Amino acid sequence: MTEPMGLRERKKVRIREQIAATAIRMFLESGFDQVSITDIARAAEVSRRTLFAYFATKEDLVLQRIADHEDEPARTVLARRADQSPLDALREALLEGLRRRDPNTGLNDDPDIMAFLQLIWDTESLVVRLTRYKARGIETLADALRENDFDPLTARLVAAQVIVLHGEIARMNQQHLANGQSAAARYPAAVRATNRAFDLLRDGLGSHPG
């Protein structure tokens, strides 16, 4: 059972969220490259030193929301039911994310979320940093798969394909929504695309336990 956070920890979480929310609002209003760390610290009413204590780089102010989810596929594999294969667990988790309109699936037409995702794709330094988070996602998922009877090479290759699969499904969903389609209208096609992608991955593995 997780112990409740103390007052000091809750304060740190509030400050972190305050800084990130302020930064993202300013980036959306003025553009990522037009807003400085000093501008953000002033608007969030903290010092530059305090800001850097929570976020090492300007890019982290945006991508921390995504970084917090980078090991989700690995956790899905490790927490799956005993009668469920790793790939089935990963498929089920992504389908559930689509059903819930998880922003990480790209299938969420809330204007603020759509603007946030577009900010990332429109900013070169954020796209570059995003690849680092994906690389860490591959590492953690490969580790989880090795714990589940995948040999090192297969674990690495499957992990890379799953992370790419997640990213491409999300990007396709986001593009359809950006072109005016609603999340509800896009949902059936997103489900079909997800199932098709996992079918291709499963069939490629043949008789492997995945």
Side-chain angles (χ1 to χ4, degrees):
M1 183 177 178
T2 304
E3 295 184 1
M5 289 188 296
L7 180 61
R8 184 174 183 180
E9 288 73 21
R10 290 199 298 273
K11 182 179 180 181
K12 287 182 177 180
V13 169
R14 285 198 301 271
I15 293 173
R16 178 183 173 86
E17 291 177 348
Q18 172 190 337
I19 294 171
T22 299
I24 291 170
R25 173 179 55 78
M26 296 177 73
F27 294 150
L28 291 174
E29 290 174 352
S30 304
F32 183 83
D33 295 325
Q34 283 65 49
V35 179
S36 70
I37 290 293
T38 299
D39 294 333
I40 297 165
R42 184 183 301 115
E45 298 183 342
V46 298
S47 67
R48 283 173 55 94
R49 180 177 179 180
T50 296
L51 187 151
F52 282 123
Y54 289 92
F55 300 97
T57 70
K58 186 177 170 183
E59 288 75 15
D60 289 336
L61 285 158
V62 177
L63 295 178
Q64 53 91 20
R65 295 183 178 182
I66 294 175
D68 289 344
H69 297 276
E70 68 184 24
D71 64 344
E72 274 188 358
R75 287 188 276 113
T76 294
V77 168
L78 296 175
R80 76 188 194 283
R81 303 189 309 270
D83 64 343
Q84 191 176 41
S85 74
L87 282 186
D88 284 345
L90 290 163
R91 182 200 300 252
E92 183 179 282
L94 182 50
L95 290 172
E96 172 61 17
L98 293 172
R99 187 190 67 78
R100 292 186 290 103
R101 306 295 192 264
D102 185 331
N104 287 297
T105 68
L107 194 67
N108 189 305
D109 48 15
D110 178 279
D112 291 338
I113 291 174
M114 291 179 65
F116 172 77
L117 293 175
Q118 196 60 48
L119 169 70
I120 294 174
W121 288 109
D122 287 345
T123 307
E124 183 177 357
S125 62
L126 293 175
V127 174
V128 171
R129 179 60 62 90
L130 190 60
T131 63
R132 300 183 188 179
Y133 293 135
K134 289 182 178 179
R136 287 200 288 270
I138 292 172
E139 292 288 347
T140 59
L141 180 54
D143 287 344
L145 292 172
R146 283 196 295 271
E147 292 184 29
N148 287 271
D149 300 323
F150 283 67
D151 65 84
L153 175 60
T154 305
R156 180 77 186 187
L157 294 176
V158 171
Q161 291 178 73
V162 168
I163 297 303
V164 169
L165 184 160
H166 274 244
E168 289 304 307
I169 292 293
R171 186 63 176 144
M172 286 191 296
N173 290 336
Q174 182 191 357
Q175 288 174 336
H176 279 279
L177 268 55
N179 289 332
Q181 192 172 25
S182 70
R186 172 62 187 167
Y187 176 68
V191 169
R192 289 194 298 271
T194 297
N195 280 322
R196 175 63 174 153
F198 273 101
D199 285 348
L200 289 169
L201 186 52
R202 178 202 60 202
D203 295 343
L205 287 171
S207 62
H208 194 277

